[in-house]
Amino acid sequence: MLRLDLSNLDSRRIGSQGIDLEQALRAHKKRLEAARDALWGRKGDPAEFLGWIDVPEDTQTLRKVLRYREANAWVEDLVVLGIGGSALGAQAVNAALGKGPVRLHFVDNVEPEPILELLRSLEPRKTLVNVISKSGSTAETMAAFLAFRRWLEEALGQDWKRHVVVTTDPARGILRPYAQAEGLPAFEVPPAVGGRFSVTCPVGTLPLAFVGVDLEALLAGCRKANETAQAQVEANLPAQSALVHHLLSQKGKSVNVFMPYSTRLRYLPDWFVQLHDESLGKAIDREGKVVHTGTTAVRAIGTTDQHAQVQLFREGPHDKLITFVRLEKPTEDLKIPAVAGLEALDYLFGRSFFELLDAEAKATAHALAKAHQPNFAFVLERLDAYTLGWLMQHLMWQTAFLGELWNINAFDQPGVELGKEYTYALMGRRGYEKLAAELKAEGVE
Ligand SMILES: O=P(O)(O)OC[C@H]1O[C@](O)(CO)[C@@H](O)[C@@H]1O
């Protein structure tokens, strides 16, 4: 179960920085319905990159993933080579729900020392490498693949092939033909699913199958989010949270803090930051007009960041909308014991850690509201696969709705290309000689 707690956005509580949600829903009903109908209507067109809506229905692929996991019971360490959307979703779900027995490692950077440290810690005979790249051209992932493939081959000879599994586009890019030529097992990233929307396809499900996540439940939760995204505006949770973002951005809230009260959810903000920023930070709208949209998503974790960032959230610039994720029930709880001689702490004696966590979440949200800092919460009944799937698919829908409200394409990322080309030029890639010369003339070499 997932619900929205919007009480700290209410203008009756926080004044002009807030909104009257009921009135806003009435006023924007037509626009939200048009956005909803446009998204559902365009779903079948591969060029629209809305394939993530239907992926949770694809139980056949899930079965294939689970069969692969069963057939590879020898794996003790699974190394995911992927970056951005090809790593962040699985990383977030693994931290929240992963139970082992396999240890998951994510290589999503090209800093040599951590890669060497990981390689030195692994036993090649017990290691499976999952190279994940939709494009098959991402420099970081491919560099890591070259290194891990060599490492496996040096240790295992031709048997290295049993230790690599590929996840990539069914047709495009260099990884697919390479997997075919070498006889490597390979899973698909559906062409109409962008990286940051891909956690429910084998990009996420394959690594998560090795750490015992209940994938059936995760996908069922995603389907529940789809159901709510189809509903009338009054029951359409993604339309509502998107409207909140839209209206608050119009009130100058250009920073969007995403703050789960959960260490288990510590990587969820990283996943959300990519989803939100890469989707919505756009220079040009669908009509070709220069717009420079986007609100900047910022990571925070409660309670940890109460002692690092909340001072700024409360008393700093009034440019923020703060999104909390709160749990209603713990999975397990721990009593805080009474200790003689420390009676100054008796307000804690006999209470539980979850009670303290919950009190801190509510107290911080209320203190922010008192300072007229608008905030709202996704309230999860508990942290399980169903609810996390629901939340993640909800956030994908929220992003898609915002794309509609802002009239931008939320599914491309043209702004990352020039940096990639400069990298190719600096690395001496064939075909980039002219760009390298230009960079040199500009003092970059
Ligand atoms: O799966 P790929 O093609 O390696 O891409 C990784 C990431 O790089 C980006 O394309 C941005 O550079 C992201 O959108 C994507 O999630």
Side-chain angles (χ1 to χ4, degrees), residues 7 17 31 44 57 86 90 122-123 125 153 165 189 210 218 221 223 230 273 300 306 316 329 344 373 386 439:
S7 51
Q17 301 296 317
R31 211 164 152 203
E57 311 281 347
S86 288
L122 293 169
E123 160 61 71
R125 277 180 307 115
E153 194 177 17
V165 53
V189 189
F210 280 82
L218 190 87
R223 293 196 293 272
Q230 228 168 352
V273 164
Q306 283 177 205
K329 292 181 198 138
Q373 296 284 15
Y386 178 80
L439 283 175

Short mmCIF file of all heavy atoms in Angstrom, two decimals, residues 7 17 31 44 57 86 90 122-123 125 153 165 189 210 218 221 223 230 273 300 306 316 329 344 373 386 439:
data_model
loop_
_atom_site.label_atom_id
_atom_site.label_comp_id
_atom_site.label_asym_id
_atom_site.label_seq_id
_atom_site.Cartn_x
_atom_site.Cartn_y
_atom_site.Cartn_z
N SER A 7 -0.46 16.86 3.70
CA SER A 7 -0.91 17.86 4.67
C SER A 7 0.06 19.04 4.82
O SER A 7 -0.37 20.16 5.07
CB SER A 7 -1.17 17.20 6.03
OG SER A 7 -0.04 16.44 6.42
N GLN A 17 3.07 29.77 0.50
CA GLN A 17 4.04 28.84 -0.10
C GLN A 17 3.37 27.50 -0.44
O GLN A 17 3.95 26.66 -1.12
CB GLN A 17 5.20 28.56 0.86
CG GLN A 17 5.99 29.78 1.28
CD GLN A 17 6.69 30.43 0.11
OE1 GLN A 17 7.26 29.76 -0.73
NE2 GLN A 17 6.59 31.76 0.02
N ARG A 31 -6.36 19.35 -17.84
CA ARG A 31 -4.97 19.25 -18.29
C ARG A 31 -4.35 17.91 -17.88
O ARG A 31 -3.62 17.27 -18.63
CB ARG A 31 -4.19 20.40 -17.64
CG ARG A 31 -3.08 20.84 -18.51
CD ARG A 31 -2.54 22.16 -18.11
NE ARG A 31 -1.14 22.19 -18.50
CZ ARG A 31 -0.24 22.96 -17.97
NH1 ARG A 31 -0.59 23.78 -17.00
NH2 ARG A 31 1.00 22.91 -18.40
N GLY A 44 1.84 2.62 -27.43
CA GLY A 44 2.17 1.59 -28.43
C GLY A 44 3.22 2.02 -29.43
O GLY A 44 3.73 1.20 -30.21
N GLU A 57 4.14 -6.34 -17.16
CA GLU A 57 3.21 -7.39 -17.60
C GLU A 57 3.96 -8.58 -18.19
O GLU A 57 3.38 -9.64 -18.41
CB GLU A 57 2.27 -6.86 -18.71
CG GLU A 57 1.60 -5.54 -18.44
CD GLU A 57 0.40 -5.68 -17.52
OE1 GLU A 57 -0.04 -6.82 -17.31
OE2 GLU A 57 -0.05 -4.64 -17.00
N SER A 86 21.52 1.80 -16.14
CA SER A 86 21.92 0.40 -16.23
C SER A 86 22.48 -0.14 -14.91
O SER A 86 22.97 -1.27 -14.87
CB SER A 86 22.93 0.21 -17.37
OG SER A 86 22.26 0.36 -18.60
N ALA A 90 18.78 -1.38 -9.97
CA ALA A 90 19.11 -2.63 -9.26
C ALA A 90 19.85 -2.32 -7.96
O ALA A 90 19.64 -2.99 -6.94
CB ALA A 90 19.97 -3.52 -10.16
N LEU A 122 37.99 -10.82 -5.70
CA LEU A 122 37.06 -11.81 -6.29
C LEU A 122 37.78 -13.10 -6.67
O LEU A 122 38.96 -13.10 -7.04
CB LEU A 122 36.40 -11.24 -7.54
CG LEU A 122 35.44 -10.06 -7.34
CD1 LEU A 122 35.10 -9.44 -8.69
CD2 LEU A 122 34.19 -10.50 -6.61
N GLU A 123 37.00 -14.18 -6.63
CA GLU A 123 37.48 -15.49 -7.09
C GLU A 123 36.83 -15.72 -8.46
O GLU A 123 35.60 -15.90 -8.54
CB GLU A 123 37.05 -16.54 -6.04
CG GLU A 123 37.01 -17.96 -6.50
CD GLU A 123 38.35 -18.49 -6.95
OE1 GLU A 123 39.20 -18.67 -6.06
OE2 GLU A 123 38.53 -18.71 -8.16
N ARG A 125 36.42 -18.14 -10.49
CA ARG A 125 35.58 -19.34 -10.71
C ARG A 125 34.18 -19.19 -10.11
O ARG A 125 33.26 -19.89 -10.47
CB ARG A 125 36.26 -20.59 -10.12
CG ARG A 125 37.31 -21.20 -11.07
CD ARG A 125 37.97 -22.43 -10.48
NE ARG A 125 38.52 -22.14 -9.15
CZ ARG A 125 38.10 -22.68 -8.03
NH1 ARG A 125 37.11 -23.57 -8.03
NH2 ARG A 125 38.64 -22.37 -6.86
N GLU A 153 39.43 -14.39 -18.63
CA GLU A 153 40.11 -15.24 -19.60
C GLU A 153 41.47 -15.68 -19.07
O GLU A 153 41.87 -16.84 -19.23
CB GLU A 153 40.24 -14.52 -20.94
CG GLU A 153 40.63 -15.46 -22.06
CD GLU A 153 40.70 -14.76 -23.41
OE1 GLU A 153 40.76 -13.50 -23.45
OE2 GLU A 153 40.71 -15.47 -24.43
N VAL A 165 27.36 -12.61 -18.73
CA VAL A 165 26.01 -12.52 -19.28
C VAL A 165 25.79 -11.07 -19.70
O VAL A 165 26.17 -10.15 -19.00
CB VAL A 165 24.94 -13.05 -18.29
CG1 VAL A 165 25.02 -12.38 -16.93
CG2 VAL A 165 23.53 -12.90 -18.86
N VAL A 189 17.19 -5.36 -23.44
CA VAL A 189 16.57 -4.12 -22.97
C VAL A 189 15.60 -3.75 -24.09
O VAL A 189 16.03 -3.49 -25.21
CB VAL A 189 17.60 -2.98 -22.81
CG1 VAL A 189 16.94 -1.79 -22.12
CG2 VAL A 189 18.84 -3.43 -22.10
N PHE A 210 19.44 -12.76 -8.38
CA PHE A 210 20.53 -13.44 -7.66
C PHE A 210 20.58 -13.08 -6.18
O PHE A 210 21.36 -13.66 -5.44
CB PHE A 210 21.88 -13.11 -8.33
CG PHE A 210 22.13 -13.93 -9.57
CD1 PHE A 210 21.58 -13.57 -10.79
CD2 PHE A 210 22.90 -15.09 -9.51
CE1 PHE A 210 21.80 -14.34 -11.93
CE2 PHE A 210 23.12 -15.86 -10.63
CZ PHE A 210 22.56 -15.49 -11.85
N LEU A 218 7.50 -7.39 -6.93
CA LEU A 218 7.98 -6.08 -7.41
C LEU A 218 7.17 -5.65 -8.65
O LEU A 218 6.69 -4.52 -8.74
CB LEU A 218 9.48 -6.18 -7.75
CG LEU A 218 10.18 -4.86 -8.04
CD1 LEU A 218 10.68 -4.23 -6.74
CD2 LEU A 218 11.36 -5.05 -8.99
N GLY A 221 3.59 -4.73 -7.89
CA GLY A 221 3.53 -3.36 -7.37
C GLY A 221 3.57 -2.34 -8.51
O GLY A 221 2.84 -1.34 -8.49
N ARG A 223 2.50 -2.84 -11.50
CA ARG A 223 1.20 -2.89 -12.19
C ARG A 223 0.16 -2.10 -11.40
O ARG A 223 -0.73 -1.48 -11.97
CB ARG A 223 0.75 -4.35 -12.40
CG ARG A 223 1.65 -5.10 -13.38
CD ARG A 223 1.00 -6.39 -13.87
NE ARG A 223 0.84 -7.37 -12.82
CZ ARG A 223 1.76 -8.29 -12.48
NH1 ARG A 223 2.92 -8.32 -13.10
NH2 ARG A 223 1.53 -9.16 -11.51
N GLN A 230 -4.00 5.25 -14.40
CA GLN A 230 -5.07 5.23 -15.38
C GLN A 230 -6.36 5.82 -14.81
O GLN A 230 -7.30 6.10 -15.55
CB GLN A 230 -5.34 3.76 -15.75
CG GLN A 230 -5.41 3.54 -17.22
CD GLN A 230 -5.38 2.06 -17.58
OE1 GLN A 230 -5.16 1.20 -16.73
NE2 GLN A 230 -5.60 1.78 -18.83
N VAL A 273 17.28 10.74 -8.74
CA VAL A 273 17.97 11.92 -9.28
C VAL A 273 18.17 11.76 -10.80
O VAL A 273 17.89 12.66 -11.58
CB VAL A 273 19.31 12.17 -8.56
CG1 VAL A 273 20.20 13.11 -9.34
CG2 VAL A 273 19.06 12.73 -7.16
N ALA A 300 18.84 13.12 -0.11
CA ALA A 300 19.02 13.23 1.35
C ALA A 300 18.45 11.96 1.96
O ALA A 300 17.62 11.29 1.35
CB ALA A 300 18.29 14.46 1.89
N GLN A 306 19.21 15.03 8.73
CA GLN A 306 18.72 16.05 9.67
C GLN A 306 19.91 16.76 10.30
O GLN A 306 19.82 17.91 10.71
CB GLN A 306 17.89 15.38 10.77
CG GLN A 306 16.52 14.98 10.33
CD GLN A 306 15.75 14.25 11.42
OE1 GLN A 306 14.87 13.49 11.10
NE2 GLN A 306 16.07 14.45 12.67
N GLY A 316 17.24 28.09 4.96
CA GLY A 316 17.89 28.59 3.74
C GLY A 316 16.86 29.13 2.76
O GLY A 316 15.71 29.37 3.13
N LYS A 329 5.25 0.83 8.95
CA LYS A 329 5.58 -0.27 9.86
C LYS A 329 6.99 -0.74 9.57
O LYS A 329 7.40 -0.78 8.41
CB LYS A 329 4.64 -1.47 9.61
CG LYS A 329 3.22 -1.25 9.99
CD LYS A 329 2.41 -2.51 9.72
CE LYS A 329 0.92 -2.17 9.68
NZ LYS A 329 0.20 -2.83 8.61
N ALA A 344 18.50 10.73 32.23
CA ALA A 344 18.23 11.89 31.36
C ALA A 344 17.68 11.43 30.01
O ALA A 344 17.05 12.21 29.29
CB ALA A 344 19.52 12.69 31.16
N GLN A 373 8.10 25.80 4.61
CA GLN A 373 8.81 25.04 3.57
C GLN A 373 7.91 23.87 3.19
O GLN A 373 7.72 22.93 3.95
CB GLN A 373 10.15 24.49 4.12
CG GLN A 373 11.16 25.56 4.50
CD GLN A 373 11.84 26.20 3.28
OE1 GLN A 373 11.39 26.06 2.15
NE2 GLN A 373 12.90 26.92 3.52
N TYR A 386 6.58 -5.43 -3.23
CA TYR A 386 5.35 -4.90 -3.85
C TYR A 386 5.31 -3.37 -3.72
O TYR A 386 5.08 -2.65 -4.68
CB TYR A 386 4.14 -5.55 -3.18
CG TYR A 386 2.81 -5.06 -3.70
CD1 TYR A 386 2.29 -5.55 -4.89
CD2 TYR A 386 2.07 -4.12 -2.98
CE1 TYR A 386 1.06 -5.11 -5.37
CE2 TYR A 386 0.84 -3.68 -3.46
CZ TYR A 386 0.35 -4.18 -4.66
OH TYR A 386 -0.86 -3.72 -5.12
N LEU A 439 39.49 21.19 -29.41
CA LEU A 439 39.68 21.21 -27.96
C LEU A 439 41.05 21.74 -27.60
O LEU A 439 41.21 22.54 -26.67
CB LEU A 439 39.49 19.81 -27.39
CG LEU A 439 38.05 19.32 -27.25
CD1 LEU A 439 38.03 17.86 -26.79
CD2 LEU A 439 37.28 20.17 -26.25
#
